[in-house]
């Protein structure tokens, strides 16, 4: 397998991008689906933001340094990576806060058109925050949340469905849901869809505009490598923007913020999704990090992602003792994101041993080993090494109930 | 006046702190009430966060680097500056988002105790975001907002008052409101109070615990010098924490976040105010910036602040042509924050000319010149120079309607 890994790496059109990131030989970093690696040029860019813009220009940087327009400017940088036109994405706040804006905003886009639409369907296996925020949005809008198994979603859509909140890729299993088909079916049923792109933005083509998605929220610190806790993004389809009515109308989304008017008048476009003063240091680190995407074809990213996860699964099959791990990640390419999740007895001990040997994945309690594959900097040799060490660890850690 | 300024600076016990900040001789920076100056040691600390913690430790920094607990740890650093005990403040999200949490949370603390309490009283002269967010909270909780003149507030409190949202210091005029008396009167009336400390945190003693404040929100990029858009903070009084019910319940406020449980179970204490993944770069820049407060007496800050603003007003009186400016900032110390606001015809042209000559204040449209005094780095010579240049500019810019 090592020979095949070398051949695959040699033929990889994205291989040179690895040098743009800070990585080390001792570590095989397969946790980019939790925190993307550091692009090499980011520290100097942030230093300039701090020492020159904050330190010397100070308040003038809000205008001269482009701080004020950063949320929409960086949104426009992310837009092509998720298939959105300019002016539809704004960056700021956490994923959780943006899900609140998107869900309440979606309910208000429907209301008062059809009061019989009184259910918010939410992926029952969702990342917890989405569920907590959906419950809060439901409580505050008066519409109940109905948890649905994403595989049964199409059968759950109906005349009572107001809004659907789904994850494009499941955070635990790595399952990719069929965004075009589900979006079309929801629209057919008269509902709106909010997509959570946390595990797909930067990992595969999304096609927000092309598939007529209504609203979407995404994370920038996973496959977009924006840095720890980098601000999230909010997409509002162009057709919905004039009626988008955010539950968090801050002065940054006012049509004339510096009028400091007591009456709220929302700005046009994606800017309407802004709230308060943006966290400039985190935001401009993200802006710098996005430079690594210059000239990268998303189709190439997707092809490599599938090849990497295929190869990793093959290596695991070859190296791991039989019956010790069980892939939760679908074998079918059309149903796979850019991670591999392995169910494994004694997963905590196994992941601890892997990390001690430089294979950095992560654990999703109680029994899931997650390995993220970031095509910009993960190579086939990484996949092979990780599987080889996993095999060795599994031989050392006896299977057991804990 | 220049001689007096020199004498006052020579006697200033805080004078040495100025060297902790990046300032330049050409500029008199009086806009620290909008964006605090850069503490000298912050760039190196942020560089370490980026290159070592993000770059080399990567995901391990969430535990080993203390990232996960940063919101409550930094909250505890801010706590003594606003008179709060440990475990009552959490840092994260923007001021606007925190006002939403605090206001909705306050309404839920009352409800269902007294359904006759159906009004949210809001400072009619508030910073716009507070008003917009209050209107949204009102819309989503079903309680209307009643705008009140803060000077008439005591007469507006009554059996229908549910929650009061007030600014400790008015952003435009610099007027300091009587937090102890208003809080006591609101409690007497059976209401809860949410204080916005944006223009008082770090500028004067607040005494949140001592005065029995219910909830408070504050900004960290003004007098706390945390950097552009640094995350805000939320205070929840200890007695309210067990029932504090946030409208933004994210996975970071779950009692066991990494259980990734579909059911929300809130954490105890201030942590309940967290939402999503914190923006680590902005947050740890703030943490570093707070080092400048080590050993600083807040009473000394307040004394110097009043002496600076007194002296500036005296210099303006001496240098400015008669009748050209009119102070909106109260003369009484008990009613003054740490800024001076001057109403002035042709204020935009005057501020532009001031900035061109290195006197950096800011403009609040249409006719207010604002000058912020940060006792940690502003000296009496700065106040004197600013007033002198203001006098010169006013002689050059003829008064007029525009």
């Amino acid at each position: 397998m090592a020979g095949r890994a070398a051949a695959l790496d040699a033929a990889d059109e994205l291989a040179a991008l690895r040098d743009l990131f800070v990585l080390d030989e001792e570590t095989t970093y397969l946790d980019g689906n939790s925190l993307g690696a550091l692009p090499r040029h980011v520290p100097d860019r942030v230093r300039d933001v701090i020492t020159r813009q904050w330190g010397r220009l100070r308040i003038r940087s809000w205008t001269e340094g482009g701080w004020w327009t950063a949320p929409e400017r960086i949104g426009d940088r992310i837009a092509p990576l998720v298939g959105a036109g300019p002016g539809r994405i704004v960056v700021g706040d956490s994923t959780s806060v943006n899900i609140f804006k998107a869900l309440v905003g979606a309910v208000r886009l429907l209301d008062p058109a059809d009061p019989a639409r009184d259910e918010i369907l939410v992926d029952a296996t969702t990342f917890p925050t989405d569920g907590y925020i959906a419950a809060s949005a439901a409580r505050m809008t008066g519409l109940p949340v109905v948890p649905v198994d994403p595989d049964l979603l199409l059968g759950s859509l109906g005349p009572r469905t107001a809004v659907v909140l789904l994850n494009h890729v499941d955070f635990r299993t790595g399952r990719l849901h069929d965004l075009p088909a589900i979006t079309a079916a929801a629209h057919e049923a008269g509902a709106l869809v909010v997509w959570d792109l946390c595990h797909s933005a930067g990992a595969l083509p999304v096609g927000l505009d092309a598939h007529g998605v209504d609203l979407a929220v995404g994370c920038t610190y996973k496959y977009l490598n924006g840095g720890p806790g980098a601000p999230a993004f909010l997409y509002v389809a162009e057709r919905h923007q004039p009626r988008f009515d955010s539950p968090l109308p801050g002065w940054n989304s006012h049509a004339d913020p510096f009028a400091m008017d007591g009456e709220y008048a929302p700005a046009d476009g994606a800017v309407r999704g802004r709230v308060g003063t943006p966290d400039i240091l985190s935001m401009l680190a993200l802006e710098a990090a996005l430079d690594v995407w210059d000239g990268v074809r998303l189709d190439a990213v997707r092809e490599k992602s599938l090849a990497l996860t295929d190869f990793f699964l093959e290596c695991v099959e070859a190296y791991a003792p039989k019956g010790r791990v069980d892939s939760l990640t679908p074998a079918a390419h059309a149903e796979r994101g850019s991670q591999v999740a392995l169910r494994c007895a004694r997963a905590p001990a196994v992941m601890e041993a892997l990390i001690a040997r430089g294979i950095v994945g992560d654990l999703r309690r109680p029994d899931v080993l997650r390995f993220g594959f970031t095509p910009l900097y993960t190579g086939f040799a990484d996949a092979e090494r990780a599987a080889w060490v996993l095999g060795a660890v599994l031989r050392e850690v006896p299977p057991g109930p804990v």
Side-chain angles (χ1 to χ4, degrees), chain A residues 287-330:
Chain A
E287 183 171 37
L290 291 170
D291 284 357
V292 301
W293 291 94
D294 289 350
V296 173
R297 291 191 309 115
L298 263 181
D299 285 341
V301 169
R302 176 62 171 160
E303 284 157 30
K304 182 175 173 187
S305 160
L306 290 170
L308 277 168
T309 48
D310 273 345
F311 184 65
F312 178 68
L313 285 165
E314 210 180 319
C315 290
V316 169
E317 177 74 22
Y319 295 144
K322 292 288 163 246
R324 288 294 301 283
V325 296
D326 177 26
S327 175
L328 298 175
T329 302

Side-chain angles (χ1 to χ4, degrees), chain A residues 168-182:
Chain A
H168 195 191
V169 174
D170 184 280
F171 80 102
R172 197 184 305 260
T173 64
R175 173 184 291 273
L176 171 67
H177 294 118
D178 188 345
L179 180 144
I182 292 172

Side-chain angles (χ1 to χ4, degrees), chain A residues 101-150:
Chain A
K101 295 178 207 168
L103 264 186
V104 175
V107 170
R108 291 177 177 175
L109 283 169
L110 284 166
D111 186 34
D114 191 348
R117 292 196 180 275
D118 64 352
E119 292 179 347
I120 301 175
L121 302 190
V122 178
D123 180 349
T125 58
T126 188
F127 186 76
T129 266
D130 299 53
Y132 308 156
I133 292 285
S136 176
R139 174 178 173 188
M140 298 191 82
T141 58
L143 274 64
V145 163
V146 179
V148 291
D149 179 332

